[in-house]
Amino acid sequence: MEATFPILLIDDDPNLGDILSRIAQDAFPEASFIHFCSIEETMDYLKGPSVVLPKLILLDINFNREEDGFGYLTLLKKQLNDVQIPIIILSMMADDQYVEQAYSTGAVSFVEKSSTVQGWTNLLKSLRKYWNDIVDLPSDRLDGSDSGSMFKALT
């Protein structure tokens, strides 16, 4: 099956993208992961001339830097402007303060990271069921030629 559901993963763990891509082969075969370990790499990608917009963004909140994922969430929302891409926050712990801050900053969901392959498999199956099978997401056209598209060119 051809991967037709691009997911942008922003997480400083260089192995997580590979792990999720391997698990997705069975759990979410329509998914392809675009993985960046920093917000700088992500912003460069989003500003690129031939950007493939994701249908979903998974954003870690714990980075080994001063800035955290909440600051990145704000930057992403600003960069994407009117582009409607759901952003899901990932964290190792579901602290109430983190959860509240995630939603108030614009995330559509807060998910606690798994420490097992089975947990990641379950997460990808759930993402597939909800984001690919149940809900309707905006078109991924950048040129505006799709009359139902909510996407606009990134400037």
Side-chain angles (χ1 to χ4, degrees), residues 54 80 85 106 114:
L80 294 170
I85 301 173
S114 178

Side-chain angles (χ1 to χ4, degrees), residues 28-108:
F28 194 169
E30 300 86 356
S32 62
F33 287 87
I34 305 162
H35 180 207
F36 295 107
C37 292
S38 73
I39 196 65
E40 295 82 11
E41 291 175 327
T42 304
M43 291 304 186
D44 288 344
Y45 172 78
L46 290 174
K47 293 175 185 174
S50 58
V51 64
V52 173
L53 286 179
K55 291 190 178 255
L56 191 63
I57 297 173
L58 303 178
L59 173 63
D60 186 19
I61 60 166
N62 299 313
F63 284 82
N64 295 324
R65 311 170 101 188
E66 277 186 36
E67 189 75 46
D68 63 18
F70 296 120
Y72 294 167
L73 177 57
T74 301
L75 287 172
L76 277 171
K77 298 292 268 182
K78 183 177 180 179
Q79 174 65 34
L80 294 170
N81 197 9
D82 292 330
V83 180
Q84 303 296 317
I85 301 173
I87 301 174
I88 296 173
I89 293 291
L90 300 174
S91 178
M92 289 302 291
M93 39 183 215
D95 179 88
D96 287 344
Q97 179 182 343
Y98 283 169
V99 174
E100 288 180 30
Q101 188 172 359
Y103 286 107
S104 68
T105 311
V108 297

